Amino acid sequence: MTNAVNDKPLVPDLYGIGQAAQELGVSVRALRYYQEVGLLTPSGRTSGGNRLYADSDLARVRRIRELQTLLGFNLDEIRTILAHEDRLAQVRIEYRASSDDEDRVRLLNAGREAYVHLRGEIDEKIQRLETFRREIDERIARVDRLQEGSAERS
Amino acid sequence: MTNAVNDKPLVPDLYGIGQAAQELGVSVRALRYYQEVGLLTPSGRTSGGNRLYADSDLARVRRIRELQTLLGFNLDEIRTILAHEDRLAQVRIEYRASSDDEDRVRLLNAGREAYVHLRGEIDEKIQRLETFRREIDERIARVDRLQEGSAERS
DNA sequence: TTGCTCCTCACGTCACGTGAGGTGGC
DNA sequence: TTGCTCCTCACGTCACGTGAGGTGGC
């Protein structure tokens, strides 16, 4: 059989912790830890107590990893950012439910400001990496000049 | 006095651990820890046992931090990278001392390869950050569209 | 029954943070 | 003597890694 049963979700769009971990490239322990610190509660459990992760759970983990590895936030900071995003999404859903009240406007402004701030940090990191890249290119060029010298005399 | 004595090096080009830490934006504990794990031994000590850091020491710490925070290497990996760089620098110094032997050529090639590999990782990280930035821009634009909607009706 | 994946403690590890108690030069 | 910075243990913390011992469905 080319199609191993283990590679498929147990229930449509629900993954066991092992499948989820492999799909995401993180450890099973990490997923349990994110739950322990209240960052991500899996959408369900089997009758036997096994965690079940939905696609939305996987998306959330990808977001956590992005903020962790690309921008260097710790899990506490990530919790704050995700809480902001969750509230923003909530506002978007409730958009037509309530009338245009001040609370919602304030939330949108705060959300926008948070994203602009995040964008600034990303920009800064990209700039620092580009500077680093230029330094590395310099070093490679220097090695190349040394190698040319060797080649000339050989 | 505008020029506090504490802001100046004790000895020309030699800094106490507190001065070095402030200059670098790292903790005193971190500097001691780098020494503990063999990443950086300060160039000197006072007669009383106080660590003294030279400019070359500071440069090395900056390099450690770059590899740590920008590229996410752990201290063990950084030790390996710095060892490579130290050996490369050594080859450059000894360049005219010995004749063109195979060992040196191999070292240059290995060094070049390591830098090219590093460059690849930097490129990948920049690309991922740029993708992330586009996503954030998307989110900002979405908030803006919602705010426009609010403004129209107000 | 055997294998596999899952479960919950719980201790270990890496890169420091944070006092505890003491020394040394203005 | 008081203040400041430095010193060496040594335990605490964050984000997991890694077994220990046990359960549950093909």
Side-chain angles (χ1 to χ4, degrees):
Chain A
M1 284 289 179
T2 321
N3 248 340
V5 164
N6 278 353
D7 293 15
K8 299 235 157 192
L10 300 164
V11 183
D13 296 328
L14 285 178
Y15 303 81
I17 195 170
Q19 291 167 355
Q22 193 170 9
E23 177 78 20
L24 292 163
V26 308
S27 70
V28 165
R29 176 67 169 114
L31 292 180
R32 292 207 190 100
Y33 184 69
Y34 295 154
Q35 183 180 358
E36 205 180 315
V37 298
L39 263 179
L40 165 82
T41 307
S43 292
R45 295 259 189 174
T46 66
S47 55
N50 288 19
R51 276 162 260 249
L52 290 174
Y53 292 85
D55 284 333
S56 58
D57 297 332
L58 302 195
R60 195 176 176 86
V61 174
R62 286 195 195 93
R63 192 115 195 101
I64 292 171
R65 283 274 143 176
E66 231 168 26
L67 293 166
Q68 226 186 347
T69 65
L70 275 108
L71 294 180
F73 291 120
N74 64 37
L75 296 189
D76 222 67
E77 295 164 327
I78 292 174
R79 195 202 328 277
T80 305
I81 294 172
L82 290 186
H84 266 107
E85 291 189 355
D86 290 348
R87 291 213 56 185
L88 254 184
Q90 198 58 26
V91 169
R92 285 170 55 77
I93 287 167
E94 291 171 355
Y95 192 66
R96 61 174 73 82
S98 69
S99 69
D100 190 349
D101 69 301
E102 285 215 1
D103 235 39
R104 201 175 57 194
V105 171
R106 255 203 302 278
L107 197 58
L108 282 179
N109 284 335
R112 203 200 121 93
E113 214 176 314
Y115 278 136
V116 169
H117 184 73
L118 199 60
R119 211 210 116 103
E121 298 198 39
I122 294 171
D123 263 348
E124 194 195 313
K125 197 123 190 179
I126 289 177
Q127 304 239 339
R128 285 170 61 199
L129 277 167
E130 282 172 345
T131 301
F132 198 3
R133 182 167 60 181
R134 278 193 294 276
E135 279 173 33
I136 296 292
D137 283 343
E138 247 309 300
R139 279 161 199 259
I140 291 176
R142 261 189 285 178
V143 171
D144 283 349
R145 282 197 290 276
L146 274 186
Q147 285 181 328
E148 268 178 49
S150 290
E152 272 170 24
R153 282 193 316 287
S154 70
Chain B
M1 284 290 181
T2 322
N3 248 338
V5 164
N6 277 354
D7 293 15
K8 300 234 156 195
L10 301 164
V11 182
D13 296 329
L14 285 178
Y15 303 80
I17 194 169
Q19 292 167 352
Q22 192 169 10
E23 177 78 22
L24 292 164
V26 307
S27 70
V28 165
R29 176 66 169 115
L31 292 179
R32 292 206 190 99
Y33 184 69
Y34 295 155
Q35 182 180 359
E36 205 180 315
V37 299
L39 263 179
L40 165 82
T41 307
S43 292
R45 295 261 189 173
T46 66
S47 54
N50 287 19
R51 276 163 260 249
L52 290 174
Y53 292 84
D55 285 333
S56 58
D57 297 332
L58 302 195
R60 193 175 177 85
V61 174
R62 286 196 194 93
R63 193 117 194 100
I64 291 170
R65 282 274 142 176
E66 230 169 23
L67 293 167
Q68 226 185 347
T69 65
L70 277 123
L71 294 181
F73 290 121
N74 64 37
L75 297 189
D76 221 67
E77 295 165 327
I78 293 174
R79 196 202 326 280
T80 305
I81 294 172
L82 290 186
H84 265 106
E85 290 189 355
D86 290 348
R87 290 214 57 188
L88 255 184
Q90 199 57 28
V91 168
R92 285 171 54 80
I93 287 167
E94 290 171 356
Y95 192 67
R96 59 175 74 83
S98 69
S99 69
D100 189 349
D101 69 301
E102 285 214 0
D103 235 40
R104 201 175 55 196
V105 171
R106 255 202 302 279
L107 198 58
L108 282 178
N109 284 333
R112 204 201 120 94
E113 214 176 316
Y115 278 135
V116 169
H117 184 74
L118 199 60
R119 212 210 113 104
E121 300 199 38
I122 295 171
D123 263 348
E124 195 195 313
K125 198 125 190 176
I126 289 177
Q127 303 242 337
R128 286 170 59 199
L129 277 167
E130 282 172 345
T131 301
F132 198 2
R133 183 167 60 182
R134 277 193 296 275
E135 280 173 34
I136 297 292
D137 283 343
E138 247 309 301
R139 279 160 200 260
I140 292 176
R142 261 187 287 176
V143 171
D144 283 349
R145 280 197 292 275
L146 273 186
Q147 286 181 327
E148 266 178 51
S150 291
E152 272 169 26
R153 282 194 316 286
S154 70

